[in-house]
Amino acid sequence: AQSVTQPDIHITVSEGASLELRCNYSYGATPYLFWYVQSPGQGLQLLLKYFSGDTLVQGIKGFEAEFKRSQSSFNLRKPSVHWSDAAEYFCAVDGADGLTFGKGTHLIIQP
Amino acid sequence: EAQVTQNPRYLITVTGKKLTVTCSQNMNHEYMSWYRQDPGLGLRQIYYSMNVEVTDKGDVPEGYKVSRKEKRNFPLILESPSPNQTSLYFCASSFLQGALFSPLHFGNGTRLTVT
């Protein structure tokens, strides 16, 4: 069965600092991978997706993610975070079992 | 504006009193799904529908019902709510099953409290 692990429940980053949110997946075939963001009181919004091709994918709001097959990872990065990036971030894999989400990482931005 | 609309946003009810959470999308999506979000557990799928009159169980279907009589509507029904169904619920839709061909569009959520 497919699964997604986000090892960090909470991450605190200073405004202007770089960010990396970790995501590891388990899936037998080539995965389709996604990052979603959930702002307080809102639904989920797609940040970016990986289907095939270039392993570095660009998303909205200045985010990018890199697919590393050898590490079964799809980490989300941003070079300089803004206070408005404070939110819950979900990694997801789309496979034979449909869309499976990780448990989320809560991002806190320090002034 | 393309959107998924859930109602109500907040609902407090008592154990055993039937309730329905509505979900409507205006994007002509075939695929619709319900998730519940609980602290530390992330999002878990309750039910999904690939098209009108086609529904299937997700990971946590117990205690829930759904129907898909029209393409745009996918209500979530709790026949006899219990406190363990206190949660934040999200409806989502996309053009095809899963997110392979189009991203999931999410509603803003319904926070349900069952006392």
Side-chain angles (χ1 to χ4, degrees):
Chain A
Q2 63 200 51
S3 66
V4 177
T5 302
Q6 293 179 245
D8 303 305
I9 298 174
H10 301 277
I11 280 191
T12 301
V13 178
S14 298
E15 190 169 14
S18 63
L19 169 70
E20 183 169 34
L21 301 182
R22 296 183 291 167
C23 172
N24 293 97
Y25 67 90
S26 174
Y27 185 62
T30 300
Y32 301 106
L33 297 160
F34 306 84
W35 275 100
Y36 285 86
V37 60
Q38 183 183 22
S39 299
Q42 302 293 317
L44 276 73
Q45 182 183 21
L46 179 68
L47 280 176
L48 48 77
K49 58 183 182 279
Y50 170 79
F51 287 168
S52 65
D54 194 348
T55 56
L56 184 64
V57 292
Q58 303 297 320
I60 62 171
K61 305 186 180 189
F63 285 92
E64 66 178 25
E66 186 171 13
F67 169 59
K68 292 186 177 180
R69 185 187 300 274
S70 61
Q71 298 177 19
S72 298
S73 68
F74 189 55
N75 294 347
L76 182 71
R77 301 195 294 247
K78 186 169 184 178
S80 176
V81 297
H82 186 262
W83 64 266
S84 60
D85 292 324
E88 191 87 14
Y89 290 81
F90 293 93
C91 182
V93 61
D94 190 10
D97 296 340
L99 195 62
T100 300
F101 288 89
K103 293 181 180 178
T105 297
H106 186 64
L107 176 63
I108 300 165
I109 306 296
Q110 279 184 337
Chain B
E1 178 189 353
Q3 59 186 3
V4 177
T5 304
Q6 290 178 232
N7 280 298
R9 288 293 307 275
Y10 301 92
L11 180 58
I12 300 173
T13 190
V14 296
T15 299
K17 186 176 182 181
K18 181 179 178 179
L19 66 91
T20 299
V21 184
T22 64
C23 174
S24 180
Q25 50 92 5
N26 61 0
M27 295 167 280
N28 202 34
H29 286 166
E30 294 93 354
Y31 180 81
M32 297 186 75
S33 181
W34 276 102
Y35 297 86
R36 61 177 289 175
Q37 183 181 10
D38 301 289
L41 297 177
L43 287 112
R44 294 177 293 169
Q45 190 174 48
I46 303 170
Y47 269 95
Y48 64 95
S49 168
M50 292 184 63
N51 216 323
V52 175
E53 301 293 359
V54 180
T55 63
D56 284 291
K57 295 178 180 179
D59 299 319
V60 289
E62 294 77 22
Y64 303 95
K65 283 176 55 178
V66 292
S67 70
R68 188 89 183 272
K69 293 184 170 56
E70 306 167 279
K71 198 171 189 178
R72 62 181 174 180
N73 295 324
F74 191 46
L76 180 69
I77 303 156
L78 284 73
E79 294 272 4
S80 183
S82 62
N84 65 12
Q85 293 178 298
T86 293
S87 187
L88 179 59
Y89 291 86
F90 287 99
C91 180
S93 71
S94 70
F95 274 113
L96 286 169
Q97 180 183 8
L100 175 59
F101 297 107
S102 76
L104 279 175
H105 294 257
F106 284 83
N108 283 336
T110 295
R111 186 168 293 283
L112 171 65
T113 302
V114 183
T115 61

